[in-house]
Amino acid sequence: MEKCRESYISKVHGVCEWCGNPGYILDYIEELTPEDINDPNITLNHGNLQYLCLSCHNTKTFKKHKATRDNVMFKRLYEWTKAENPENTK
């Protein structure tokens, strides 16, 4: 996977493919499933990869998954903060 990661990031010049800022996370466009996680035709396929900055990755990820829990919300990598609208955290 490391060679695939390095070659993909080099291919996109290390920039986020959504906004053009410096990239941070190599992300799967279509999420992996338990059935395909060990299939190199899927996991190492450049056609299913995108390089994103943290902000764009969080936008993509939290569009599908709720980003708040018990009056806290994800602020940035490994950081949580109190939600501004606690009624929207349930």
Side-chain angles (χ1 to χ4, degrees):
M1 179 63 184
E2 191 60 34
K3 287 182 182 180
C4 176
R5 182 182 196 287
E6 289 173 10
S7 71
Y8 189 83
I9 293 170
S10 176
K11 175 181 163 183
V12 298
H13 308 289
V15 299
C16 175
E17 295 181 68
W18 284 20
C19 71
N21 286 324
Y24 183 72
I25 297 172
L26 189 61
D27 181 65
Y28 290 100
I29 296 169
E30 294 292 325
E31 292 183 25
L32 298 179
T33 65
E35 292 79 28
D36 60 27
I37 198 163
N38 293 314
D39 183 346
N41 293 317
I42 296 173
T43 58
L44 303 178
N45 183 343
H46 280 200
N48 191 35
L49 298 174
Q50 58 188 350
Y51 196 50
L52 304 176
C53 67
L54 184 59
S55 178
C56 289
H57 176 267
N58 290 345
T59 297
K60 175 204 173 223
T61 300
F62 295 133
K63 196 185 299 183
K64 291 182 272 183
H65 307 288
K66 194 162 186 154
T68 59
R69 177 179 19 153
D70 298 327
N71 298 332
V72 295
M73 63 182 214
F74 186 74
K75 183 176 178 183
R76 62 182 177 205
L77 193 60
Y78 307 119
E79 251 185 70
W80 295 83
T81 187
K82 287 188 176 196
E84 292 180 22
N85 298 316
E87 65 276 1
N88 292 332
T89 62
K90 296 180 180 168

